[in-house]
Amino acid sequence: MLAEAKSFRIMSMYQPLHGLPALAGLASFDDAQRPGLSVEECVRRLKRFHYAFRRLQEIFIARLIAEPAYELKMAFSLHAHYCAEHVAALRQRVGEMREPPLGLDLVPDPALEVFFDEIFAAPTTEELLLGIYAHALPALGAALKKHRAETNPLADAPSVRCLKFALLEVEEMAEYGAKAVAAFAAQIAAHKADIDRWLAVLDDALLAAGGLDGTSAKSGKTIARQHSATPFTYDSVPKRDARFPDPYNMGVNAEVFLYDPAMPPEPKVLMMFYKRLREIDVPEMMASIITETRGKPWGYYRDMTRQLWDEARHAMLGEVGFLSLGVDWTKVMVNFTWSLGLNTQLTAKERHGVLYFIEQGLMPKTGKRFEWETAQAAHNALSALFQDYDWADEVLHARIGRDWYVSQFENPKEAVDWGDRAWSKVLIGWRQWKDEGLTEHRNWWPEVYLDWCRAQGLTPDEKVLAYHETYEAKRADLRLVSASA
């Protein structure tokens, strides 16, 4: 008792110098004295958080290709990037805590595996959204909060910092997801009984796992798989919503117009916004590379997911660009023929080769610099800003390509040539698609250009209005198409 009283007196009298915040502002002296979690328990929980983020990244990536809703493709791209970053941070933190070998690729609990397998295999968009945003992310957020509340804020400060940033983005994702689920309320209500039975499976799986962090008593219940009873097979064929009514349309060659010195710069801005929006097919294609490529270091998946998110962001730059010009972007026939061809005709390595080959073509003066200079010449500040960042992103993507693709070859030239040959293998069904009635390859440019002229109060340029070059004979890099189905 005397020792406790003495300690209390010392604590009550102790003050930092000049009244400065104590302990670097991390915690009060009282909080810093609580026992908190041991290193072993901290690592055990961190491994489960790591597993959750890794499975969510996998689900977002694999499911975005066949998800028709454009907005969800974009959200899945962003949220996969968030998850990949937090996987990397957690791997680093666990590696700092006396844990070789780390065992980060092991399943921490069979019931937790069932939980994520069931979400992965959700047969409808509605169930997928409910599984991710109404169950997995709230459970993960609650577990992160609990860890921060129970660990010692000073001794475990690196983990607290890691989880602080993770929680910010988990809450952001969950907030988005709540709105997305609400948007599908009618569809969910129409199948409520069946969906509720499946959601009960998710709840039972978490209970059997002792919660996402494993801190609760395990129910001991054996979980009968429902959707995941048959292993999930991802669909690599891109799907688009009704705002993309002519996805096989290759009737307007944007690059020929853009690089034609006889064309004025102002309408080239409209074509560049089309090129940006058309980048929706890059996440669709990259998702197939990431999903089909196994056994790489986590840095590969982190970097590739970052690039995938950047490409999705570029598509949204195009969306915003059309809005800024007062033009309805749904009148622009954004096709999916590139992602469709690569996903269904090439291997994952060949797709990566095509991606890198295209990126190298964007680095010279006729690439991203040219687009930025064109936007400046058109005196369109928004387009110039977007192209500035698009250019910067492509420099990063070229580095990612060097790190993870070129490193597989003897030299960079061999890597570029291999990617060019891979692209040449893709059969473009220009005539076949038209013969099958899938598209007329309609020239949508005059209508969109006239809409832009009206919105801007401009008199149409007859030469610009008459533009009709297609992709029948030329690729996007202006090389001749070697084969056509």
Side-chain angles (χ1 to χ4, degrees):
M1 290 293 292
L2 289 174
E4 291 179 5
K6 183 178 180 181
S7 175
F8 176 77
R9 286 196 302 272
I10 292 174
M11 284 299 302
S12 64
M13 295 172 60
Y14 181 76
Q15 294 293 330
L17 182 66
H18 303 311
L20 290 167
L23 306 177
L26 291 174
S28 69
F29 285 113
D30 286 340
D31 286 341
Q33 292 178 78
R34 69 170 187 255
L37 307 176
S38 67
V39 167
E40 181 181 7
E41 174 60 13
C42 177
V43 168
R44 188 194 66 78
R45 296 191 194 188
L46 294 182
K47 286 183 176 181
R48 289 172 78 107
F49 303 153
H50 168 273
Y51 179 74
F53 278 119
R54 183 163 61 84
R55 291 304 308 272
L56 286 169
Q57 184 266 357
E58 175 188 27
I59 293 167
F60 283 130
I61 292 293
R63 294 298 299 261
L64 76 83
I65 305 172
E67 171 51 53
Y70 160 74
E71 285 79 6
L72 291 181
K73 286 182 190 286
M74 300 297 100
F76 288 1
S77 300
L78 172 60
H79 296 170
H81 164 59
Y82 284 170
C83 290
E85 291 291 320
H86 297 307
V87 169
L90 287 163
R91 292 178 78 89
Q92 178 177 327
R93 178 56 180 152
V94 170
E96 296 168 351
M97 301 178 76
R98 304 199 307 260
E99 278 293 311
L102 303 183
L104 286 167
D105 295 323
L106 302 176
V107 176
D109 190 288
L112 206 56
E113 182 177 40
V114 173
F115 176 79
F116 285 105
D117 285 352
E118 283 291 309
I119 297 173
F120 200 178
T124 66
T125 296
E126 299 82 57
E127 288 167 286
L128 181 64
L129 295 178
L130 285 167
I132 294 173
Y133 295 113
H135 281 70
L137 285 170
L140 178 55
L144 296 175
K145 288 179 181 178
K146 186 175 183 181
H147 187 113
R148 290 182 63 191
E150 294 182 354
T151 199
N152 185 287
L154 183 59
D156 194 23
S159 298
V160 171
R161 181 175 183 269
C162 181
L163 300 187
K164 175 173 64 177
F165 291 119
L167 186 58
L168 283 172
E169 293 186 335
V170 165
E171 291 177 340
E172 179 187 319
M173 289 187 281
E175 182 179 356
Y176 174 91
K179 295 174 182 177
V181 168
F184 283 84
Q187 295 92 321
I188 293 170
H191 303 281
K192 188 175 187 304
D194 290 339
I195 290 176
D196 284 349
R197 279 192 290 272
W198 176 66
L199 294 178
V201 174
L202 298 186
D203 292 336
D204 287 344
L206 276 184
L207 289 172
L212 192 139
D213 60 3
T215 60
S216 301
K218 297 185 178 183
S219 68
K221 184 176 181 179
T222 300
I223 308 302
R225 291 177 179 267
Q226 185 172 320
H227 296 327
S228 66
T230 301
F232 174 75
T233 302
Y234 93 104
D235 186 354
S236 64
V237 177
K239 304 294 190 303
R240 299 283 175 86
D241 64 50
R243 294 168 298 174
F244 299 84
D246 196 0
Y248 291 90
N249 187 315
M250 299 182 70
V252 178
N253 191 312
E255 287 73 24
V256 169
F257 182 92
L258 183 60
Y259 295 122
D260 185 348
M263 293 295 180
E266 291 78 11
K268 288 183 177 181
V269 168
L270 187 61
M271 200 65 91
M272 286 192 294
F273 284 148
Y274 163 59
K275 280 169 56 65
R276 298 290 77 75
L277 181 57
R278 195 180 62 188
E279 288 188 67
I280 183 177
D281 62 359
V282 186
E284 291 170 336
M285 189 278 286
M286 289 196 69
S288 71
I289 299 176
I290 297 168
T291 297
E292 294 176 23
T293 303
R294 301 294 182 181
K296 295 283 190 180
W298 186 255
Y300 168 88
Y301 301 102
R302 177 188 186 180
D303 286 353
M304 291 290 283
T305 304
R306 163 60 192 271
Q307 181 173 346
L308 181 149
W309 155 237
D310 286 347
E311 306 292 4
R313 183 160 50 86
H314 297 168
M316 290 186 284
L317 295 180
E319 177 188 11
V320 172
F322 277 111
L323 290 173
S324 74
L325 297 179
V327 176
D328 181 359
W329 69 262
T330 65
K331 292 184 178 182
V332 177
M333 298 299 104
V334 179
N335 63 61
F336 65 5
T337 55
W338 187 75
S339 55
L340 175 68
L342 270 64
N343 284 12
T344 58
Q345 298 178 38
L346 300 182
T347 66
K349 182 179 178 181
E350 287 172 328
R351 285 175 230 138
H352 203 167
V354 173
L355 182 66
Y356 183 74
F357 173 78
I358 292 173
E359 287 162 354
Q360 293 312 292
L362 299 175
M363 291 302 103
K365 185 175 177 58
T366 54
K368 290 302 178 182
R369 174 187 288 275
F370 175 81
E371 294 186 348
W372 175 65
E373 291 174 344
T374 299
Q376 289 188 315
H379 304 290
N380 187 300
L382 185 66
S383 179
L385 177 73
F386 285 176
Q387 292 306 143
D388 202 9
Y389 279 89
D390 183 59
W391 181 13
D393 289 339
E394 292 302 340
V395 173
L396 169 63
H397 301 166
R399 192 274 296 165
I400 292 173
R402 289 193 298 273
D403 287 350
W404 299 111
Y405 169 72
V406 177
S407 58
Q408 302 174 78
F409 296 86
E410 290 294 328
N411 56 69
K413 184 179 185 305
E414 181 184 344
V416 171
D417 291 345
W418 198 84
D420 187 13
R421 290 194 299 273
W423 196 3
S424 297
K425 290 168 60 176
V426 179
L427 297 177
I428 299 299
W430 171 278
R431 178 59 57 184
Q432 175 186 337
W433 296 331
K434 187 171 184 178
D435 291 345
E436 292 176 355
L438 294 173
T439 183
E440 290 295 323
H441 297 299
R442 179 178 66 84
N443 181 8
W444 48 262
W445 171 254
E447 178 185 2
V448 172
Y449 173 61
L450 288 173
D451 282 353
W452 175 73
C453 288
R454 283 191 289 268
Q456 303 299 314
L458 299 173
T459 300
D461 182 321
E462 293 301 322
K463 179 179 59 180
V464 173
L465 185 63
Y467 181 72
H468 62 274
E469 187 79 27
T470 77
Y471 285 103
E472 182 176 11
K474 291 182 180 178
R475 301 188 321 203
D477 61 350
L478 305 186
R479 297 197 183 187
L480 294 178
V481 174
S482 60
S484 180

